[in-house]
């Protein structure tokens, strides 16, 4: 039986990059929850948060998660998707959850090379280094709690895709 595959992790972990490659390798549809929110609202995440606040954004994020989840679909989630216990349980019940785990230094380097400030507003108003270290410390237990499989996101892209694909196919074969 095919099922949904959810990718969780912090900003800069590679959820979208890995997700697209993995979806292609598995012949799954790829969905990015942040992109879905922007498409459905007609606004950037920064504008949404500025106009309606983080609480509104998190509710919208939870709704989108349920809307896009389906069999044979790979869902790249926003970094804060795991903040809601309901979202963590939902992902665990409806598919396999992959955590792309990367140390703060790797995330900071990636985000510094490709800052998407208009799409990813600061959560804390702190410097990128302080923000990433703080958020990662807060969310790490949540990512680990809901993950079926944890992969080192600092590895080469093709190694990550290969590792996750092998794990996923092995799990799927066990459930047949």
């Amino acid at each position: 039986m095919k099922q949904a595959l959810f990718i969780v992790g912090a900003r800069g972990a590679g959820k979208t990059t890995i997700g697209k490659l993995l979806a292609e390798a598995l012949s799954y549809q790829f969905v990015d929850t942040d992109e879905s929110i922007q498409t459905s609202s007609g606004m950037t995440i920064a504008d949404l948060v500025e106009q309606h606040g983080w609480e509104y954004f998190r509710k919208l994020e939870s709704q989108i998660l349920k809307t896009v989840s389906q069999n044979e679909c790979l869902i790249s989630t926003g970094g804060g998707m795991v903040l809601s216990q309901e979202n963590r349980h939902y992902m665990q019940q409806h598919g396999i959850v992959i955590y792309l785990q990367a140390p703060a230094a790797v995330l900071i380097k990636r985000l510094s090379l490709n800052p998407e400030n208009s799409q990813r507003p600061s959560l804390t108003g702190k410097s990128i280094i302080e923000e990433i270290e703080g958020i990662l410390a807060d969310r790490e237990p949540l990512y680990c709690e809901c993950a079926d499989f944890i992969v080192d996101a600092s590895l080469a892209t093709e190694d990550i895709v290969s590792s996750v694909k092998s794990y996923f196919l092995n799990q799927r074969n066990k459930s047949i």
Side-chain angles (χ1 to χ4, degrees), residues 11 49 54 58 117 120-135 138-139:
R11 299 193 277 171
V49 170
W54 278 108
R58 294 294 178 214
N117 293 332
R120 296 176 176 165
S122 171
L123 295 168
T124 61
K126 296 178 180 176
S127 74
I128 191 167
I129 294 169
E130 290 176 308
E131 180 168 294
I132 293 298
E133 288 174 344
I135 288 170
D138 291 345
R139 294 181 184 171

Side-chain angles (χ1 to χ4, degrees), residues 67-88:
T67 303
V68 301
S69 299
Q70 55 190 305
N71 286 340
E72 299 186 38
C73 192
L74 188 146
I75 298 111
S76 170
T77 66
M81 187 67 76
V82 297
L83 293 172
S84 160
Q85 183 177 18
E86 182 183 334
N87 290 346
R88 293 192 308 273

Side-chain angles (χ1 to χ4, degrees), residues 12 14-15 29 69 96 114 122-123 127 134 146-147 158-160 162 170-171 173 175:
K15 297 182 302 287
Q29 177 185 347
S69 299
I96 292 176
N114 187 19
S122 171
L123 295 168
S127 74
C146 68
E158 48 283 352
D159 293 340
I160 296 169
S162 175
N170 186 36
Q171 292 305 303
N173 290 336
S175 66

Side-chain angles (χ1 to χ4, degrees), residues 16 20 30-40 45 119:
T16 301
K20 286 179 179 176
F30 174 78
V31 178
D32 182 302
T33 59
D34 283 349
E35 286 179 16
S36 296
I37 289 168
Q38 291 180 100
T39 300
S40 69
I45 291 172
Q119 184 181 347

Side-chain angles (χ1 to χ4, degrees), residues 95-106:
I96 292 176
V97 183
I98 306 299
Y99 170 30
L100 295 184
Q101 185 178 51
V106 169

Side-chain angles (χ1 to χ4, degrees), residues 40-65:
S40 69
S41 69
M43 301 171 80
T44 65
I45 291 172
D47 289 342
L48 257 175
V49 170
E50 186 178 318
Q51 290 183 28
H52 302 285
W54 278 108
E55 188 176 329
Y56 175 84
F57 172 76
R58 294 294 178 214
K59 285 181 185 174
L60 198 54
E61 189 176 52
S62 295
Q63 291 169 358
I64 289 286
L65 176 67

